Amino acid sequence: MEYDVVIVGGGPAGSTLGSVLRKYAPAAKVLILEREIFPREHVGESQLPPVTKVLEEMGCWDKVEAAGFPVKTGALYRWGNTDDLWRFDFLVGQEYEDLPRPGILEGQRHQTTFHVERATFDEILLDHAAELGCEVCEGAKVSSVQRTGDTVDAIKVEGTTPAGADDAGWVRAKHYVDASGHVGILRRAMDVTVSEPTSLKNIAIWRYWRSEKWADLDGVGTGGVRVRVMSLGNGWIWFIPIAKDLTSVGFVTHADHYKKSGLTPSELYAQAVATDPHIADLLTGATPEPEIRSTKDWSFLANRMAGENWMLVGESAGFADPILAGGMALAMVGAREAAYLHAALINGDHEESWLKAWYSETQTRRISQHIKFADYWYSANGHFSDLQAYTSQIAAEAGLSLNPKEAFQWLGTGGFVSDDLASPVVGSYRLGAVKSAMQILSGIPATWEINQSNTFTLNLEGCAIEQVPYCADGKIEKVKCYKRGASLLPMIGIYRMVFRALNRASDAAALVKELKMTIAGTKEITEPYNAFLGALDALEGMVAEGWITASVKEGRPFMNVMLDEASVSMAGR
């Protein structure tokens, strides 16, 4: 039997792809090959809110919610040049409501995410893919890949034999997807090289701890908690509650520090967790599980994302340092897009080369942005002063000549459409949140460009128009985008709403009124508070990238946008 799609790897990327593909192409023959027998342990427990949207579309958010994982509402950091602890919250300007659980996906739950025990979480996702009709083979190892040029002809499976394999264990398909993680089984077989666009080469050492005292860790019952990220002189510690009495505690440090220390991973880990007073206090009376795990943990990016009949998803395509917990979001968001692409190929929608070019560009840009964001995060930390110069290099790649501390301004405004075509996000975080974080890290007050002017006019001079793929409701649509250089202005979502408002108003006060009226009158917008936040972010990004000409006219009021508020007051000057 020839499959439509064979997916190598049954982790979150593979199971997401299989589930979304079967949802929108229910007749597709999809095979998922997983080397391990689930459940199995895996690092990467802390998620970002984009995962919530993907789980909802897959149809298994309720299953994950029913597992009782702690709700992640943000993070608690000690980072940069201060010993103070500071909070980063997903719920901007709101207090978290500790509602009964399990609950339904509504209200604040759209803005939060989970801390998960990966053994349980990954099994939920893989079982869900099987329920939707994917053939799932656990204990199935890909031992060989047969190829002709850039085409995969067949893969050989040992262990659990798929129903469609021949007598020798060879499996054939129209399309193949590598979701095998950093191992990159197909990536390596197709001779795809990887780049390491960073000087960060860290290792991670972690173990699991148990204690009953963490049930009310953040004062909100068992409903919501924050990840702890604590900087040390030679690395940083994560503290991720993944159950009422279970937490993952890890230490990330540069590989060179580990080698020079002369310590074993166990000794280095024990030294780190004892050094930090906040973590040491949390672990007082806690019981560690016996096994200590370690892995190399540095960023890389595949130099090709797709070929004639194959594609990379998840960590096979690239990996960004875990400081910002972007791994799961990158894997699942990318896998969702890959599923849409394969559904379009199976259904005969759109030109294959157009789809693959879009997928390759999107994944490369998104992973690169996460890597750059992580690099800045490290360089803003006083304990990593040797990376300060690298931050200027990051900015230079974007065409800017900035010193390291000025680079936060680029991170606060650049690449604002890289993660999601319909809304302004940087490294999976909204633009205002990035500005707030950069202000804390750099010590330089973050400013809103839109507060400096009171008149806003669209500037489309010298731009071209092109069609860009957009995934929604099971179909890939062609969305009109204005393009100037590397900058895109898509006519969809928040950007289209701001674009239309600018055609009706240019005065700051009138523009704010127009945006609020549009949001209130759009029945598809279920969360006007967040929609207005997005509109302010989009307006700021459009000014920064030159899509809006901002100016000052005497006698007119100015906006007064605050970093962490979804409200605007008008002020004279």
Side-chain angles (χ1 to χ4, degrees), residues 209-251:
W209 297 70
R210 292 192 177 275
S211 174
E212 295 292 337
K213 73 176 183 179
W214 298 325
D216 194 22
L217 185 61
D218 287 319
V220 288
T222 59
V225 296
R226 301 179 188 90
V227 61
R228 266 75 172 158
V229 175
M230 301 291 138
S231 173
L232 301 178
N234 48 29
W236 59 276
I237 297 175
W238 79 65
F239 183 97
I240 307 171
I242 55 178
K244 293 179 181 179
D245 65 342
L246 182 66
T247 192
S248 169
V249 182
F251 175 54

Side-chain angles (χ1 to χ4, degrees), residues 460 462-468 479-484 488-489 491 499 547:
L460 303 179
C463 69
I465 296 176
E466 64 177 51
Q467 303 290 325
V468 176
V479 171
K480 174 184 173 182
C481 284
Y482 294 98
K483 184 175 184 180
R484 188 163 50 211
L488 284 177
L489 178 60
M491 290 295 96
F499 185 91
W547 294 110

Side-chain angles (χ1 to χ4, degrees), residues 77 112 302 505 557:
Y77 289 99
T112 59

Side-chain angles (χ1 to χ4, degrees), residues 79 196-202 236 254 297-300 319-324 367-382 384-395 397 404 407-408 410-411 438 441:
W79 201 262
E196 296 175 359
T198 173
S199 60
L200 290 171
K201 296 187 183 299
N202 290 334
W236 59 276
H254 200 283
D297 214 10
W298 58 75
S299 304
F300 72 90
F319 176 77
D321 188 278
I323 182 63
L324 299 173
I367 297 169
S368 296
Q369 180 169 285
H370 277 250
I371 291 172
K372 290 174 181 177
F373 200 2
D375 282 356
Y376 176 76
W377 204 270
Y378 278 97
S379 65
N381 185 357
F384 289 85
S385 57
D386 57 317
L387 292 171
Q388 290 279 340
Y390 185 65
T391 311
S392 293
Q393 180 184 331
I394 297 170
E397 292 172 3
F408 87 99
W410 166 72
L411 279 163
M438 295 303 101
L441 290 173

Side-chain angles (χ1 to χ4, degrees), residues 300-346:
F300 72 90
L301 181 65
N303 292 321
R304 291 181 68 202
M305 296 292 170
E308 288 295 324
N309 67 338
W310 57 269
M311 182 173 291
L312 310 180
V313 302
E315 197 174 321
S316 174
F319 176 77
D321 188 278
I323 182 63
L324 299 173
M328 194 85 76
L330 285 171
M332 294 179 68
V333 169
R336 169 189 177 267
E337 292 165 344
Y340 269 78
L341 184 150
H342 282 90
L345 293 178
I346 291 169

Side-chain angles (χ1 to χ4, degrees), residues 105-372:
L105 184 55
E106 63 179 9
Q108 291 185 346
R109 291 190 171 107
H110 287 284
Q111 300 165 251
T112 59
T113 184
F114 298 104
H115 286 151
V116 299
E117 189 175 0
R118 285 289 300 276
T120 302
F121 177 79
D122 290 11
E123 187 172 30
I124 290 172
L125 267 59
L126 189 58
D127 288 349
H128 183 73
E131 290 175 18
L132 291 180
C134 293
E135 181 185 342
V136 174
C137 288
E138 298 180 51
K141 178 184 177 182
V142 174
S143 60
S144 183
V145 177
Q146 189 179 85
R147 58 177 285 195
T148 302
D150 196 41
T151 300
V152 177
D153 298 317
I155 58 177
K156 189 172 185 179
V157 180
E158 295 180 355
T160 305
T161 305
D166 65 17
D167 292 340
W170 288 96
V171 175
R172 291 169 176 80
K174 296 183 179 73
H175 307 281
Y176 299 82
V177 178
D178 187 348
S180 62
H182 72 276
V183 176
I185 292 172
L186 289 181
R187 185 189 71 219
R188 295 174 188 271
M190 302 310 291
D191 297 324
V192 177
T193 58
V194 300
S195 301
E196 296 175 359
T198 173
S199 60
L200 290 171
K201 296 187 183 299
N202 290 334
I203 65 165
I205 310 166
W206 74 98
R207 77 190 308 177
Y208 298 97
W209 297 70
R210 292 192 177 275
S211 174
E212 295 292 337
K213 73 176 183 179
W214 298 325
D216 194 22
L217 185 61
D218 287 319
V220 288
T222 59
V225 296
R226 301 179 188 90
V227 61
R228 266 75 172 158
V229 175
M230 301 291 138
S231 173
L232 301 178
N234 48 29
W236 59 276
I237 297 175
W238 79 65
F239 183 97
I240 307 171
I242 55 178
K244 293 179 181 179
D245 65 342
L246 182 66
T247 192
S248 169
V249 182
F251 175 54
V252 177
T253 189
H254 200 283
D256 286 347
H257 173 73
Y258 163 61
K259 293 174 185 176
K260 292 175 183 177
S261 73
L263 302 175
T264 66
S266 179
E267 291 169 338
L268 192 63
Y269 177 85
Q271 182 185 81
V273 297
T275 299
D276 184 84
H278 184 75
I279 299 299
D281 179 63
L282 286 170
L283 294 180
T284 300
T287 303
E289 294 195 346
E291 186 177 358
I292 290 186
R293 301 166 173 87
S294 63
T295 183
K296 75 172 192 176
D297 214 10
W298 58 75
S299 304
F300 72 90
L301 181 65
N303 292 321
R304 291 181 68 202
M305 296 292 170
E308 288 295 324
N309 67 338
W310 57 269
M311 182 173 291
L312 310 180
V313 302
E315 197 174 321
S316 174
F319 176 77
D321 188 278
I323 182 63
L324 299 173
M328 194 85 76
L330 285 171
M332 294 179 68
V333 169
R336 169 189 177 267
E337 292 165 344
Y340 269 78
L341 184 150
H342 282 90
L345 293 178
I346 291 169
N347 295 329
D349 300 335
H350 305 300
E351 183 183 348
E352 183 173 351
S353 60
W354 180 68
L355 292 172
K356 287 186 175 178
W358 154 74
Y359 178 81
S360 297
E361 291 167 6
T362 300
Q363 305 315 311
T364 299
R365 184 174 62 244
R366 183 182 291 137
I367 297 169
S368 296
Q369 180 169 285
H370 277 250
I371 291 172
K372 290 174 181 177

